[in-house]
Amino acid sequence: VTAKHVLVVDDAPSVTGVLQFVLEAEGYEASIAENGLAALEAVARRRPDLILLDLGVPGLDGYGVCARLQERPETATIPIMLLTGTLAATGSPRLSGYPIKDFVLKPFSPRDLVERIRRVLEAG
Amino acid sequence: MPTSSHEAARRAARVAARLAGRAELIHAVLDAAAHLARASLAGLWLDDGAGGAVSVGWSEADCSQVRALERAARAAAGRQLQRTEDGLALAGAPLQGLPGGLAVASPADDGPFEPREVALLAALGEQAGAALEDVGGAAPLWTNTDAFEAPAEAGWPDGIADGLLWLDEDGRVRRANRAALELLGRPVDGPRAAGQPLAALAGELPAGVLAALTAAPPAAVSACRLAVAAGAGARPRALTLVALPREPGRLVLVSDAAARSSVRGFEALVVSNAAHELRTPLTAIRAHAELIPDLLGVGPEETVGRFFQVIDLESQRMGGLLDSLRDALRAEGPSLVLHRPTLPEASS
């Protein structure tokens, strides 16, 4: 069985490092992008099964990444889980219409996060 | 041991504290920038000369927009700037004499800023930079009035939604743009308004507005509101009065108080930024701490050691951020709130 591929988009190495560790420990394949443009390049190279996206990444931010993914049919349906520091983002109209499957509030529990990722991937 | 980022944060905090003493000035600069360039938000970035920086956003926009604005202000530090980013049209200008920049933004759908708007922003950046440079004294906001002495046809900003009035020391209009007159309920041409007292345009002025207009010496910046009769009701207008030290009279910025977005104070921004910045180390600490018990005795020692190291470094980072915040709050008294002096609200 091919491992599910999760793309983690966050600019904090201390966060992406631990996420990569815990995802790989749970049998997922994890790759990292530290900004929005790098995320789009990573998606173009290989379509992930899920994108774990921090809204506040530098350069092209999370909103911009969502918008750019929508522009191409092959990327428009990739499930996205958003990492955010504020609940206010969950109601943002700027995110309507995108395949946002879950919001994860920072700071989060890695176990809880992995469980939520598992649910999203199983549902998808 | 403090890291370079800690030191930079401390330096930035010191600059923030110093600027807090110029709160009214910063408010006026940003308010004027937003007025001058039909912007939905305005921001200022000031380098402390050693890698630290202070940025001030002014809007109800979300964090991504404020950050885009900050980047624009930073990029504008050495030159004029005109670009789009993340759905925003951005324009920026350097601050004269200071390693910093002033930037404004509006939705990209509205198109790029016009050359005359950028020119006005540049003039404001020059004046603001010169004024901010003297943060230790009672520096005037406007060090020259060149931008307001240009012939009307050469750049008096009629194409913007907010109003600009230049009043003489008797409260008579020297120059006004169309938006100012429309906002005051008197949609006449600028030349016809020249020489008229403000009261003739705005109706009977509340005592607070009159006091602000005729104060001697003029306050550097004061603000008041008045209600202008329009149709069935009275519509609130916000006036920001800015002294012109080298010229008699005052500059008045007029805006629709009901439509204009409320102002986020510096303190709110500092707290918001601090909360945002603290979440990253907090996330890392919580995640690593949660995983360590599972690894103890069974996982590679190297991994466990690395996890402890991350916790140590991130806790230092949090400490540095908190120190910076504390320094900023202590250095200039009890609050970093950008105080906007207000006069009693009144109706005409």
Side-chain angles (χ1 to χ4, degrees), chain B residues 148-159:
Chain B
F148 306 103
E149 291 181 324
E153 61 274 16
W156 192 249
D158 255 347

Side-chain angles (χ1 to χ4, degrees), chain B residues 18 199 202:
Chain B
R18 196 174 55 172

Side-chain angles (χ1 to χ4, degrees), chain B residues 117-132:
Chain B
E117 293 172 327
V118 177
L120 281 167
L121 185 68
L124 186 64
E126 287 183 13
Q127 293 162 356
L132 279 168

Side-chain angles (χ1 to χ4, degrees), chain A residues 1-5 27-29 46 49:
Chain A
V1 178
T2 306
K4 295 284 188 181
H5 175 212
Y28 297 107
E29 188 176 345
R46 181 184 171 196
D49 297 295

Side-chain angles (χ1 to χ4, degrees), chain A residues 20-83:
Chain A
Q20 186 168 29
F21 176 89
V22 74
L23 285 168
E24 290 177 353
E26 294 294 325
Y28 297 107
E29 188 176 345
S31 56
I32 307 297
E34 63 182 14
N35 59 56
L37 287 177
L40 294 176
E41 290 167 3
V43 170
R45 283 195 301 272
R46 181 184 171 196
R47 186 186 191 280
D49 297 295
L50 174 72
I51 299 175
L52 200 54
L53 175 63
D54 179 17
L55 270 180
V57 285
L60 183 70
D61 65 12
Y63 296 100
V65 170
C66 290
R68 294 280 293 273
L69 290 172
Q70 281 294 295
E71 292 173 357
R72 299 176 62 187
E74 62 269 30
T75 60
T77 58
I78 299 174
I80 298 170
M81 286 177 66
L82 288 177
L83 301 175

Side-chain angles (χ1 to χ4, degrees), chain B residues 99-166:
Chain B
L102 178 67
V104 291
S106 69
D109 295 345
D110 293 347
F113 288 99
E114 297 174 9
R116 64 178 176 177
E117 293 172 327
V118 177
L120 281 167
L121 185 68
L124 186 64
E126 287 183 13
Q127 293 162 356
L132 279 168
E133 196 170 22
D134 184 16
V135 292
L141 174 60
W142 306 98
T143 55
N144 67 67
T145 58
D146 292 347
F148 306 103
E149 291 181 324
E153 61 274 16
W156 192 249
D158 255 347
I160 63 175
D162 292 303
L164 289 171
L165 284 168
W166 182 10

